[in-house]
Amino acid sequence: MIPQDPMILLSYLNTKLRDEYKSLDLLCDDLQLDKSDIIQKMSSIDYAYDDALNRFV
């Protein structure tokens, strides 16, 4: 289960992307998450995924 609070989720995702996954697609596939839901949740707090940085900024 992933954190539901958007700010905690942001930290969780960026840590996973930094330490374990080379892309958001790989993270979502491995953890069986809906990529569009993740993007929408991060958008709600004004963050977007940056492919080049492999993190939400």
Side-chain angles (χ1 to χ4, degrees):
M1 172 119 338
I2 63 170
Q4 296 303 307
D5 179 273
M7 292 305 292
I8 296 172
L9 180 59
L10 170 66
S11 178
Y12 173 84
L13 292 171
N14 278 342
T15 299
K16 288 283 194 185
L17 289 165
R18 182 190 70 219
D19 296 343
E20 299 177 36
Y21 298 97
K22 294 185 184 244
S23 73
L24 181 59
D25 288 325
L26 291 172
L27 182 146
C28 288
D29 287 346
D30 193 44
L31 300 179
Q32 299 179 342
L33 303 174
D34 185 321
K35 183 179 175 182
S36 61
D37 285 345
I38 297 296
I39 290 172
Q40 182 180 8
K41 285 180 185 178
M42 292 300 93
S43 176
S44 75
I45 57 170
D46 297 324
Y47 280 81
Y49 180 69
D50 184 312
D51 290 319
L53 297 175
N54 189 36
R55 61 184 273 187
F56 285 92
V57 293

